Amino acid sequence: MTHAALKTFALPLVVALAAALPVLASAQLSGNVALTSNYKFRGQDQDTHKSTAVKPAIQGGFDYAFGESGWYVGNWNSSVNWLPGNSIEMDFYGGIKFKAGDIDMDLGGLLYAYPGASSGNTTELYAAGTWGPLTAKYSHTVSQDYFGWAGAKAGSGLRGRNTGYLGFAFAQEVAPHTTLKASVGFTRFASDIKDSGVPNYMDYQVGGAYDFGGGMGLAAAIAGANKKSFFGDVNKPRLLLTLTKTL
């Protein structure tokens, strides 16, 4: 599929999802759509074709929970612009949530897919624990390919497997309908990538969210990452504004 065709495909996909959500919604199925001023993933802009701070992205997905078993599957999508021949990220994931004493655990796997540019495809396993307002999560790459940095499809001959990401997040309601949020994360590249000169880096985000009720919310945050001297403008701190509708 051509780059232009994918751009034409991405918006109707999310619009169709939004239209279908009221029909699909049930006790076990939930959905979401969002519009953000800039989509950052682990502190990095996902539109590298613009140097401006505002790079709007449309997003949406769904989650299906299998009753009280704790098992779930889901899909999330966003418009992006950093790979030739691609303009949409499609995430597919599944796992299980359960209690371990006072800690809410979440174990699962996630595939990041980029139609038309499979060199970006990446598969990770993750484990997360939430205790009160604090969450710690570790994601471990199990695919050879890692977001175009390494792997057979990327053509680099490097191995992205064993790249790790450790993140810590804080979320606390500080006023009615208002939640303060902050997070910090650390990317540790696999040795093949790191030995080629790509540095490990840290990302951060701090902001808040307001719940208008009825599934509508607005979030604002400053997000970015260090090592800008290597990665460039994509790691610059940005003001992110995100309007979300959940069902």
Side-chain angles (χ1 to χ4, degrees):
M1 189 177 294
T2 65
H3 183 72
L6 273 165
K7 279 188 173 294
T8 304
F9 168 74
L11 182 58
L13 174 68
V14 179
V15 172
L17 172 65
L21 287 178
V23 178
L24 296 174
S26 69
Q28 294 181 318
L29 184 66
S30 60
N32 61 85
V33 291
L35 178 65
T36 184
S37 61
N38 191 331
Y39 170 32
K40 273 188 175 288
F41 175 71
R42 295 175 182 171
Q44 299 185 319
D45 295 353
Q46 296 303 288
D47 183 345
T48 62
H49 286 67
K50 300 176 184 176
S51 59
T52 58
V54 178
K55 309 173 185 182
I58 188 166
Q59 304 171 333
F62 70 90
D63 293 278
Y64 185 86
F66 292 88
E68 301 299 320
S69 68
W71 291 98
Y72 64 90
V73 294
N75 161 252
W76 185 83
N77 313 277
S78 179
S79 55
V80 296
N81 193 2
W82 62 273
L83 279 168
N86 167 264
S87 62
I88 184 171
E89 172 189 331
M90 304 181 72
D91 300 349
F92 302 92
Y93 52 87
I96 185 170
K97 296 180 179 181
F98 59 92
K99 295 282 289 187
D102 294 331
I103 300 176
D104 295 315
M105 297 296 300
D106 184 4
L107 307 177
L110 192 157
L111 167 65
Y112 302 89
Y114 299 88
S118 59
S119 63
N121 293 358
T122 303
T123 303
E124 295 181 338
L125 300 180
Y126 58 83
T130 299
W131 182 63
L134 302 173
T135 298
K137 182 176 182 179
Y138 177 71
S139 301
H140 191 84
T141 303
V142 294
S143 57
Q144 280 286 80
D145 292 278
Y146 180 78
F147 297 111
W149 285 105
K153 294 175 183 175
S156 66
L158 305 178
R159 290 173 295 181
R161 185 174 298 154
N162 295 327
T163 295
Y165 180 79
L166 178 63
F168 300 95
F170 172 86
Q172 180 68 57
E173 188 173 15
V174 294
H177 310 293
T178 305
T179 301
L180 175 67
K181 297 183 176 183
S183 64
V184 61
F186 304 88
T187 295
R188 177 193 55 77
F189 289 105
S191 57
D192 269 16
I193 302 176
K194 195 169 186 300
D195 290 347
S196 70
V198 182
N200 298 335
Y201 74 98
M202 177 189 73
D203 66 89
Y204 55 87
Q205 182 166 315
V206 59
Y210 186 83
D211 183 0
F212 293 102
M216 187 70 73
L218 178 65
I222 298 293
N226 68 349
K227 302 298 175 71
K228 292 186 291 293
S229 60
F230 181 87
F231 294 102
D233 286 353
V234 296
N235 281 31
K236 278 187 175 181
R238 310 286 195 189
L239 172 63
L240 312 183
L241 298 174
T242 306
L243 183 65
T244 305
K245 172 66 175 178
T246 60
L247 292 170

